[in-house]
Amino acid sequence: PRTTLTAQQTPKHYGITSPISLAQPKEADLVLTQKLIETLRPFGVFEEELELQRRILVLGKLNTLVQVWIREVSEVKNIPSSVIDNVGGKIFTFGSYRLGVHTKGADIDALCVAPRHVERSDFFSSFYEKLKEQEEVKDLRAVEEAFVPVIKLSFDGIEIDILFARLALQTIPENLDLRDDGLLKNLDIRCIRSLNGCRVTDEILHLVPNIENFRLTLRAIKLWAKRHNIYSNILGFLGGVSWAMLVARTCQLYPNAVASTLVHKFFLVFSKWEWPNPVLLKQPEDCNLNLPVWDPRVTPSDRYHLMPIITPAYPQQNSTYNVSTSTRAIMVEEFKRGLAITDEILLNKAEWSKLFEAPNFFQKYKHYIVLLASAQTEKQHLEWVGLVESKIRILVGNLEKNEFITLAHVNPQSFPGPKEEIDKEEFSTIWVIGVVFKKMEGPENLNVDLTFDIQSFTDTVYRQAITSKMFEADMKITAMHVKRKQLQQLLPKVAIQRSKRKFSRNCEFESCNSDFFLRIACSEGRIAKFKLAIARKKSQNCKFITRNSDFETCNCEFISCNSDFHFFSQLRVLKSKLRVIKSELKVIKSELRDMNLQLLEKKNLNCKMKKSQLPCFIFYLLVEMGFPIFDSNCPTQYLKPPLRVCYIDISSSVL
């Protein structure tokens, strides 16, 4: 009895260190976890039961198809009938589906395991043809020359990627455990790579103390990472397996915590993690199979990895070798912001929805590099985009090496690009990279030449395409530097979301399609306050309705409620184009003086606005843009401008 009690008191040890806390969850933690679940539901992170059953049915059909195919191959190769009866063959899953955290409409990563007499060439020939014969199979394509060869398809509307591994076994038993290191003996490197996904996924599930808490926490963290544009292994951020390992390590450090606590601890641990110290779920093991493993003591290149997260299955590899200086800095900054938000949530000062608010990437930076990849046909475009996307991290690396650039942030989301010729059929894709330049001392403007950085990247892409024999004459790739306000000319309207800004330091009025920007820039130290008082009445409503950059004003009346507009700064209107206004506004300082505005008098501007009056320059801008202005004494009468129309040159640097 005493021995049994000791065994019960000693919890199972997870990870390479002791847990930080064994505290049990409190009632408040359970309530916060339930709130977290309710917040996640609208984002589609939970799949309906009917959809889950459909996935199981599709995988069952695919598994049966594999077994039939292996029997046919065995018969062609004159395998004894006694062996054919039990030859087996099986479909294994890995990735998000195997971890149990897949979202609605997500694809399935699968592995076809076959006995030793079935070769890889059979998989990409006879099995490919067998898939082609199936009515449910659409969009079938084989990528045999990839680092990990794969067949991609849509089976009954579900996207599936199928890898292949041939084991050194005569038959494949139904209860085969791929975690067995002995299965790696006598296998070629491509089969080992194919098996690695399943082996890592299974190890992760065996190394967490509570699978349900792990899954819910991972759903939240993956959604947060996607919303904050830091979810993409190929672009230098973290992929699904890397996020899973970080969450698994958090679960090991807090084995009894529920999801709400684990999400907070996740940000706490990794915002303070001393990179490049590696994240390990278990001590690395050596199986004496002479396979290359991650070990900076032996392999010099491993010492330069910036954010190593090591897979738990042999051969251990760094899943984040693509991470660069910029991407690591971006992710660490997001970890710190996540910690601040979850601190507020635990104190009931904020809701979970705040954690998943998507930042406006297209307002975050002043400078961007837009990358455009285009091809003549849809098939060529699909291959071309895949190649270009896999090389974008090279461009990011080139930009980081530039002495005038401190950070390059590529948005993992791509967008359809504009057509050069409307009549010509063309498929194109756009990626956007935010760039931060170093702040230089002195007032002089800095001209940075990015030609070499971009040219070396495009040369690498073209060279790879030619080497792999996929290049076609109509495949193009271009890169250009643009400023924030120019993005709307290249990206779809849906992509650019205007964030609401308070009138604190910068007030920006931007119309979406007219290229008309009126900016009132208020510099700290020069500006005191800018206050706008608008009185709204039932009969005199002031509404600004912006629809596709068309301003529609209904019953618009500006009333100054015994308040003055105080301008203590120079008005600067930056680089504007007037497409809607037919003629350019010209500078007439003398006319402005005649209308008592005195906007240019010395350094400070003091314009008082009386009842039913607007600053004259705004009045004429509104008139020229078609705004109906009402007389406060007689709401049915328009205020008409003087016979002589005044024009203001918005393109001038300072008024």
Side-chain angles (χ1 to χ4, degrees):
R2 186 174 300 174
T3 304
T4 305
L5 182 62
T6 304
Q8 291 176 351
Q9 290 177 345
T10 305
K12 183 179 178 180
H13 182 69
Y14 293 92
I16 62 174
T17 62
S18 300
I20 295 176
S21 173
L22 294 173
Q24 296 293 330
K26 300 177 181 178
E27 184 64 28
D29 300 328
L30 300 176
V31 172
L32 280 174
T33 299
Q34 188 60 38
K35 289 183 178 180
L36 174 61
I37 294 173
E38 296 303 318
T39 304
L40 291 175
R41 287 192 191 280
F43 291 100
V45 299
F46 299 105
E47 192 173 45
E48 300 293 336
E49 185 64 27
L50 289 177
E51 184 65 22
L52 182 59
Q53 292 301 323
R54 192 164 76 93
R55 288 178 182 269
I56 294 173
L57 182 62
V58 166
L59 287 172
K61 291 180 180 179
L62 193 59
N63 191 67
T64 302
L65 197 65
V66 165
Q67 292 177 346
V68 171
W69 165 67
I70 291 177
R71 287 178 63 89
E72 292 174 355
V73 173
S74 302
E75 291 172 356
V76 171
K77 296 189 176 183
N78 298 319
I79 302 298
S81 58
S82 58
V83 176
I84 293 177
D85 292 338
N86 300 305
V87 70
K90 190 174 181 181
I91 286 288
F92 291 85
T93 59
F94 61 99
S96 62
Y97 179 80
R98 177 70 179 93
L99 289 172
V101 294
H102 62 284
T103 58
K104 292 179 181 179
D107 63 351
I108 298 177
D109 297 313
L111 170 68
C112 173
V113 176
R116 61 192 178 196
H117 61 271
V118 180
E119 300 181 8
R120 185 175 299 276
S121 59
D122 298 322
F123 177 73
F124 283 99
S125 57
S126 57
F127 185 64
Y128 181 86
E129 293 299 324
K130 196 168 192 65
L131 288 171
K132 191 183 293 186
E133 296 171 359
Q134 309 303 311
E135 294 182 0
E136 303 95 332
V137 174
K138 307 291 182 184
D139 302 328
L140 181 64
R141 58 192 185 278
V143 191
E144 191 171 358
E145 300 303 323
F147 184 75
V148 181
V150 61
I151 289 180
K152 296 175 175 287
L153 69 146
S154 174
F155 199 112
D156 195 19
I158 297 176
E159 298 289 333
I160 304 177
D161 294 347
I162 309 177
L163 310 183
F164 175 81
R166 180 182 67 162
L167 301 184
L169 300 174
Q170 190 176 28
T171 61
I172 304 300
E174 188 65 28
N175 60 348
L176 179 66
D177 185 2
L178 296 180
R179 293 170 60 228
D180 183 4
D181 294 330
L183 295 175
L184 302 181
K185 293 180 180 178
N186 303 319
L187 296 188
D188 65 74
I189 189 63
R190 289 180 297 180
C191 287
I192 293 175
R193 290 174 188 156
S194 298
L195 285 168
N196 192 52
C198 289
R199 288 168 52 80
V200 168
T201 304
D202 290 349
E203 280 288 354
I204 291 174
L205 292 175
H206 280 82
L207 291 171
V208 294
N210 186 303
I211 291 179
E212 291 305 316
N213 289 338
F214 162 75
R215 284 174 173 165
L216 182 55
T217 306
L218 182 55
R219 287 182 190 275
I221 295 301
K222 287 181 67 174
L223 175 62
W224 166 82
K226 290 176 181 178
R227 299 281 291 173
H228 286 76
N229 299 312
I230 55 174
Y231 188 100
S232 176
N233 178 57
I234 198 170
L235 294 177
F237 296 104
L238 304 190
V241 67
S242 300
W243 290 115
M245 287 189 285
L246 292 186
V247 172
R249 185 68 185 121
T250 307
C251 293
Q252 290 177 342
L253 295 174
Y254 301 90
N256 298 323
V258 291
S260 59
T261 304
L262 288 171
V263 170
H264 175 254
K265 298 301 183 184
F266 172 89
F267 293 117
L268 175 64
V269 170
F270 294 110
S271 63
K272 302 181 183 300
W273 194 273
E274 295 181 357
W275 306 104
N277 288 328
V279 175
L280 296 165
L281 296 183
K282 68 180 220 181
Q283 287 292 351
E285 299 173 355
D286 189 2
C287 298
N288 297 320
L289 297 178
N290 295 323
L291 295 175
V293 298
W294 185 85
D295 190 346
R297 298 169 300 179
V298 177
T299 310
S301 60
D302 291 345
R303 301 168 192 168
Y304 298 98
H305 292 173
L306 300 177
M307 202 174 180
I309 302 173
I310 311 305
T311 56
Y314 180 85
Q316 296 84 11
Q317 302 294 323
N318 176 23
S319 65
T320 59
Y321 58 87
N322 284 341
V323 170
S324 66
T325 304
S326 289
T327 54
R328 185 180 71 174
I330 292 165
M331 287 187 284
V332 171
E333 185 64 28
E334 291 294 346
F335 289 152
K336 293 178 180 178
R337 291 177 185 168
L339 176 62
I341 293 173
T342 50
D343 281 340
E344 294 178 2
I345 293 172
L346 294 186
L347 294 173
N348 291 320
K349 294 182 179 179
E351 300 295 331
W352 283 109
S353 57
K354 184 176 180 179
L355 182 64
F356 304 113
E357 289 178 357
N360 194 332
F361 178 82
F362 303 109
Q363 293 291 335
K364 189 173 183 180
Y365 303 103
K366 292 182 179 179
H367 301 272
Y368 295 87
I369 291 177
V370 175
L371 200 61
L372 175 66
S374 60
Q376 192 68 33
T377 66
E378 188 173 3
K379 182 180 179 181
Q380 291 176 1
H381 175 251
L382 192 63
E383 296 176 348
W384 184 234
V385 165
L387 175 62
V388 173
E389 187 174 41
S390 68
K391 302 298 180 183
I392 290 179
R393 58 189 175 89
I394 296 176
L395 176 58
V396 173
N398 292 344
L399 295 174
E400 288 176 346
K401 294 174 185 175
N402 192 303
E403 60 178 329
F404 300 109
I405 294 177
T406 58
L407 186 134
H409 182 184
V410 55
N411 188 344
Q413 185 179 3
S414 60
F415 305 95
K419 289 186 178 181
E420 294 183 3
E421 300 179 16
I422 299 176
D423 299 334
K424 187 178 179 181
E425 186 177 12
E426 188 179 56
F427 300 88
S428 60
T429 298
I430 280 181
W431 295 269
V432 182
I433 304 173
V435 179
V436 177
F437 291 97
K438 286 184 179 178
K439 294 182 179 179
M440 306 301 294
E441 297 181 358
E444 295 127 8
N445 291 330
L446 178 67
N447 292 323
V448 180
D449 187 6
L450 301 178
T451 305
F452 176 77
D453 302 329
I454 294 174
Q455 189 65 46
S456 60
F457 160 70
T458 55
D459 290 346
T460 302
V461 175
Y462 282 126
R463 195 182 308 115
Q464 178 67 32
I466 294 171
T467 304
S468 60
K469 298 179 180 180
M470 66 168 285
F471 180 74
E472 299 291 342
D474 293 321
M475 291 180 174
K476 300 176 184 177
I477 178 172
T478 56
M480 66 193 84
H481 165 259
V482 299
K483 292 189 176 181
R484 184 190 319 171
K485 65 182 180 182
Q486 297 170 314
L487 283 175
Q488 59 185 339
Q489 302 173 14
L490 301 170
L491 297 176
K493 297 176 184 177
V494 181
I496 301 181
Q497 300 174 352
R498 300 292 181 191
S499 58
K500 295 181 180 179
R501 296 187 173 190
K502 295 181 180 179
F503 291 99
S504 54
R505 292 185 180 179
N506 295 300
C507 301
E508 296 185 5
F509 300 93
E510 299 186 11
S511 62
C512 296
N513 293 328
S514 63
D515 289 341
F516 177 76
F517 298 84
L518 173 60
R519 300 193 177 190
I520 302 175
C522 305
S523 302
E524 187 176 358
R526 297 181 182 179
I527 261 297
K529 296 179 181 178
F530 176 67
K531 297 184 179 180
L532 175 63
I534 298 177
R536 295 181 177 178
K537 299 180 180 180
K538 293 182 179 179
S539 61
Q540 301 169 347
N541 291 326
C542 177
K543 298 182 180 179
F544 290 92
I545 304 173
T546 306
R547 296 176 181 171
N548 299 323
S549 310
D550 294 329
F551 287 78
E552 298 181 1
T553 310
C554 304
N555 298 326
C556 177
E557 180 177 350
F558 292 90
I559 303 177
S560 61
C561 303
N562 297 324
S563 64
D564 296 330
F565 284 80
H566 297 281
F567 295 83
F568 296 97
S569 69
Q570 295 176 337
L571 278 177
R572 178 184 297 171
V573 186
L574 303 173
K575 295 180 181 178
S576 307
K577 298 176 182 179
L578 302 178
R579 291 183 177 174
V580 178
I581 302 176
K582 296 181 179 178
S583 60
E584 298 182 354
L585 300 178
K586 300 178 181 179
V587 177
I588 51 166
K589 299 177 182 178
S590 60
E591 281 82 348
L592 292 177
R593 291 195 195 95
D594 294 339
M595 286 176 265
N596 298 322
L597 287 180
Q598 299 178 353
L599 290 178
L600 300 176
E601 188 175 284
K602 297 181 180 181
K603 296 181 180 179
N604 297 325
L605 308 177
N606 189 3
C607 175
K608 296 186 177 182
M609 180 178 173
K610 298 179 180 181
K611 292 183 179 181
S612 304
Q613 289 182 336
L614 293 171
C616 197
F617 82 101
I618 296 180
F619 175 87
Y620 286 109
L621 283 179
L622 294 175
V623 171
E624 287 297 315
M625 294 175 66
F627 282 75
I629 309 300
F630 292 90
D631 188 346
S632 60
N633 298 321
C634 184
T636 61
Q637 296 296 322
Y638 289 98
L639 285 178
K640 298 181 180 179
L643 293 176
R644 188 174 183 181
V645 180
C646 300
Y647 293 90
I648 304 170
D649 189 0
I650 299 300
S651 63
S652 61
S653 59
V654 178
L655 288 179

